[in-house]
Amino acid sequence: MASHARPRPAGTRVAGIRTPALATAALTSVALLSQTATAAPSTDDKPSLEEVEKKVDDLYRQAESATEKYNSAKEKTATQRKEVDTLLDDVAQRTQKLNEAREELGSFAAAQYRTGASAPDTATFLLADTPQDYFDQTQLMGRMTDRQKGAVDDYISAQSATMKKRQEATESLETLTDSQADLKTAKATVQRKLSAARELLSQLTAEEKARLAAIEKKKQEEAARKAAELAEQQKAAQQAAEETAADEAASSPSTETSTDSSYATKADKALAFARAQVGKPYVWGATGPDSYDCSGLTQAAWNAAGISLPRTTYDQVNFGTTVSLANAQPGDLVFFYDDISHVGLYIGNGMMIHAPKPGAYVREESIYYDGESAIHSVVRPA
């Protein structure tokens, strides 16, 4: 008797397992889905807040470094422009003298022509490339009067001086053009870095900005702790120095003490000025009175104390005497980063007054605001 059981179609389940046909199709689908998932962009690629903060800080630092280059180029351009103006004025005056000497020679030539005396020689003289070229080929000087010889000498001298000054003016103009190009490049770099930083911050959500603020607060707390430690170390060192001085029982103040007293007086004036600027905005390239960049603030502060600091951090770091951080006194300049792109005015107890960065204001802050490794050196400017 024939069986009535129907044949089982290929690919149906047997004990919960797919037959090879469907299994192969399923595995193929899974592989394709896996590849698609791998190729698709992931939201996990978004940088962490710590990475964003580091990138923004780096951009601000690069902008500040470019700002100091801008300040240097601006100062050089201003100096070069004054030199060019002076040279051009000098050239104009010498050209006038040259014209007067030429007119006097022309009057001699006209007189000789009217009297018929040496007219061809004088005409040849006036048409020569230079007076000296002519005199090297003729004996005209021997036939001239003392007054004529004096006029020729004046003309040669005026022509030589004018040509020399024109060359100096040309070279100075070329240098000015280079300085202006450097100025333009530095300005564009600052603006590009600041725009990139603003773009990164604009992409953060309100929650992310709040978390970023919390990270910054934690950094500030650590910086304050380090400042307090330095303050204790300096206090202990000061007490030890005072005890040593007392034990020596010197009959009169030493030169060093007198010098320290003089410095403290000047530093007090610089600090008083700096404190009066607290709350004013950081603006790159600014030197006051309504806004400052970092070196613009320190320059203005010490200028109030009668000390003329250079404009840029690169020059300020070489103005004065380098001292150790442990021996830092109020008024000293604290420089930051390997490229010396930031500076603040030390006020004691591990704190300083500085113009921090774009978007911030002049403020008192720990010198450890960006970590201990960021501190480059301390300089006493007077």
Side-chain angles (χ1 to χ4, degrees):
M1 182 175 179
S3 172
H4 296 287
R6 295 180 180 178
R8 189 176 287 113
T12 57
R13 285 183 181 274
V14 177
I17 302 176
R18 290 184 184 274
T19 57
L22 284 181
T24 301
L27 289 172
T28 301
S29 299
V30 169
L32 289 173
L33 288 171
S34 176
Q35 292 173 2
T36 303
T38 302
S42 171
T43 55
D44 293 339
D45 291 339
K46 184 177 181 180
S48 66
L49 281 179
E50 287 78 7
E51 291 172 332
V52 170
E53 181 194 36
K54 184 180 184 306
K55 182 63 176 176
V56 170
D57 285 347
D58 286 345
L59 286 168
Y60 278 143
R61 276 191 54 198
Q62 292 168 20
E64 194 163 32
S65 180
T67 294
E68 290 305 312
K69 292 178 181 178
Y70 170 86
N71 291 338
S72 179
K74 184 178 180 181
E75 187 175 42
K76 185 177 180 181
T77 298
T79 300
Q80 203 66 41
R81 184 174 286 113
K82 289 180 181 178
E83 182 176 336
V84 168
D85 290 342
T86 300
L87 284 170
L88 290 177
D89 287 343
D90 195 353
V91 167
Q93 293 173 6
R94 292 180 183 278
T95 300
Q96 178 62 31
K97 291 181 180 179
L98 181 62
N99 291 336
E100 292 172 356
R102 184 182 290 114
E103 289 174 1
E104 187 171 2
L105 284 176
S107 67
F108 287 140
Q112 289 173 336
Y113 179 78
R114 287 193 300 270
T115 61
S118 303
D121 286 340
T122 306
T124 303
F125 164 73
L126 291 174
L127 291 174
D129 290 337
T130 68
Q132 194 62 51
D133 289 341
Y134 178 81
F135 296 135
D136 288 342
Q137 302 171 29
T138 71
Q139 301 298 319
L140 179 61
M141 287 294 286
R143 300 199 300 272
M144 285 186 171
T145 66
D146 290 342
R147 183 181 177 191
Q148 288 173 324
K149 290 178 182 179
V152 171
D153 288 341
D154 290 345
Y155 178 81
I156 293 174
S157 177
Q159 185 185 54
S160 176
T162 301
M163 291 176 65
K164 181 179 179 181
K165 285 300 177 181
R166 281 176 179 168
Q167 180 62 31
E168 290 180 11
T170 298
E171 293 173 355
S172 191
L173 277 170
E174 291 174 354
T175 303
L176 175 60
T177 300
D178 291 341
S179 298
Q180 290 173 327
D182 292 341
L183 184 67
K184 184 177 180 180
T185 298
K187 182 177 181 180
T189 301
V190 174
Q191 293 173 331
R192 186 171 63 254
K193 298 299 182 182
L194 294 182
S195 295
R198 286 192 292 267
E199 176 64 20
L200 277 175
L201 292 173
S202 70
Q203 295 174 3
L204 297 179
T205 65
E207 180 183 353
E208 288 173 330
K209 289 179 180 178
R211 287 166 55 197
L212 195 61
I215 293 173
E216 181 63 24
K217 182 179 180 181
K218 187 175 181 180
K219 284 178 58 178
Q220 292 177 355
E221 290 172 350
E222 175 61 17
R225 185 186 68 78
K226 292 287 294 182
E229 287 182 0
L230 178 62
E232 288 300 319
Q233 293 170 6
Q234 291 179 333
K235 182 178 179 180
Q238 180 65 25
Q239 289 176 344
E242 290 174 354
E243 291 173 359
T244 300
D247 291 341
E248 291 176 352
S251 58
S252 61
S254 66
T255 302
E256 182 178 357
T257 302
S258 177
T259 301
D260 288 347
S261 176
S262 173
Y263 177 74
T265 300
K266 294 175 182 177
D268 286 343
K269 293 180 180 179
L271 291 172
F273 179 92
R275 287 191 175 95
Q277 313 313 308
V278 170
K280 293 183 178 179
Y282 174 103
V283 174
W284 66 273
T287 56
D290 300 320
S291 57
Y292 298 89
D293 63 18
C294 66
S295 56
L297 176 64
T298 52
Q299 183 190 46
W302 270 105
N303 186 59
I307 302 296
S308 297
L309 289 186
R311 174 65 181 93
T312 69
T313 54
Y314 313 130
D315 292 326
Q316 289 182 9
V317 74
N318 296 316
F319 190 93
T321 304
T322 300
V323 299
S324 68
L325 184 59
N327 292 322
Q329 295 180 13
D332 291 351
L333 302 175
V334 185
F335 295 91
F336 297 86
Y337 311 117
D338 292 338
D339 61 356
I340 318 174
S341 56
H342 189 69
V343 62
L345 196 66
Y346 192 64
I347 60 177
N349 297 325
M351 302 291 288
M352 67 177 173
I353 297 175
H354 70 148
K357 59 185 178 182
Y361 298 84
V362 176
R363 66 192 182 203
E364 293 187 12
E365 192 166 29
S366 167
I367 61 173
Y368 299 102
Y369 79 107
D370 202 20
E372 187 170 4
S373 62
I375 299 174
H376 177 274
S377 57
V378 181
V379 171
R380 190 158 299 153

